[in-house]
């Protein structure tokens, strides 16, 4: 069993998601937003975020893969599950659990632009700007974190720990 050190406690995560939900509600006042959840990790954050947005929200899910091995991005992005709905004239917010290299998001934004949305913004629970290799504009960030291997709130290590209600660091994992 790995040792997990708490990086961001549950209460802080909850408070910050509430603040981001309120900001999105203000920014899109009088409009409807379409959240695109990037699976699997983004589902926990997307559900909590959607509950805190006070304007009309619709949801869709997309699964992409850019990891050739367990912990390092291969740089090749593959669509595993595409969206179910048209994006024409919608206000999109791509919801991610973590922005790391930026490769996946840079690819997704370019691909989704071709589908005719009114706007595209990015919202992430965690951002590791020190790992960025592709420039992406993250519009809503809950937490910037150091370059550590984190789990919880949807993030996993070998498919474990997604269900932790806080953000933790797996000790001894690079």
């Amino acid at each position: 069993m790995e040792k997990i050190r708490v990086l961001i406690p549950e209460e802080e995560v909850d408070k910050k998601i509430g603040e981001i939900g309120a900001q999105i509600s203000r920014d899109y006042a009088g409009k409807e937003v379409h959240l695109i959840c990037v699976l699997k990790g983004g589902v926990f954050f997307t559900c909590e975020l959607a509950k805190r947005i006070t304007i009309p929200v619709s949801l869709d899910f997309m699964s992409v893969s850019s990891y050739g091995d367990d912990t390092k991005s291969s740089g090749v992005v593959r669509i595993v599950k595409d969206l179910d709905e048209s994006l024409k004239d919608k206000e999109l917010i791509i919801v991610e659990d973590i922005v790391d290299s930026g490769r996946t998001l840079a690819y997704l934004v370019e691909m989704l632009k071709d589908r005719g949305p009114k706007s595209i913004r990015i919202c992430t629970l965690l951002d590791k700007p020190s790992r960025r290799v592709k420039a992406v504009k993250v519009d809503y960030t809950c937490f910037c974190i150091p370059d550590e291997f984190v789990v919880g709130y949807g993030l996993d290590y070998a498919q474990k720990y997604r269900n932790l209600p806080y953000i933790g660091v797996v000790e001894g994992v690079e």
Side-chain angles (χ1 to χ4, degrees):
M1 190 79 157
E2 295 83 16
K3 182 168 170 22
I4 309 293
R5 171 175 49 87
V6 175
L7 180 65
I8 306 169
E10 180 177 4
E11 302 75 30
E12 267 186 67
V13 173
D14 191 56
K15 180 176 184 272
K16 193 64 174 178
I17 294 172
E19 291 170 8
I20 296 293
Q23 182 64 53
I24 289 170
S25 300
R26 285 190 300 274
D27 291 352
Y28 289 91
K31 299 176 183 174
E32 181 176 317
V33 293
H34 188 66
L35 303 181
I36 295 177
C37 172
V38 181
L39 298 171
K40 295 178 186 173
V43 74
F44 289 80
F45 176 46
T46 302
C47 290
E48 291 303 315
L49 179 66
K51 290 191 297 189
R52 290 162 174 84
I53 295 174
T54 57
I55 57 169
V57 170
S58 56
L59 288 171
D60 206 345
F61 300 87
M62 178 173 249
S63 183
V64 297
S65 174
S66 65
Y67 289 86
D69 59 42
D70 289 347
T71 60
K72 298 249 188 322
S73 174
S74 66
V76 177
V77 179
R78 207 169 46 88
I79 303 297
V80 180
K81 184 229 174 283
D82 207 341
L83 299 169
D84 294 326
E85 298 180 33
S86 166
L87 300 181
K88 186 100 178 93
D89 297 324
K90 291 186 178 178
E91 306 278 3
L92 301 185
I93 300 177
I94 301 170
V95 183
E96 270 279 27
D97 53 358
I98 190 165
V99 179
D100 198 309
S101 71
R103 284 185 185 113
T104 302
L105 274 175
Y107 175 83
L108 275 184
V109 168
E110 286 309 307
M111 183 190 75
L112 296 176
K113 275 182 186 174
D114 292 341
R115 299 184 186 189
K118 195 173 284 182
S119 68
I120 301 177
R121 289 190 177 171
I122 296 170
C123 179
T124 188
L125 178 61
L126 304 173
D127 191 3
K128 281 190 194 177
S130 66
R131 303 263 307 168
R132 200 80 81 246
V133 295
K134 283 275 195 189
V136 289
K137 180 181 185 287
V138 180
D139 302 281
Y140 304 101
T141 301
C142 290
F143 302 97
C144 281
I145 61 167
D147 188 12
E148 296 186 277
F149 193 86
V150 290
V151 294
Y153 233 89
L155 294 134
D156 73 296
Y157 173 62
Q159 294 297 329
K160 297 184 291 188
Y161 308 117
R162 287 187 196 278
N163 61 317
L164 295 177
Y166 58 86
I167 305 300
V169 175
V170 181
E171 298 290 345
V173 173
E174 295 294 314

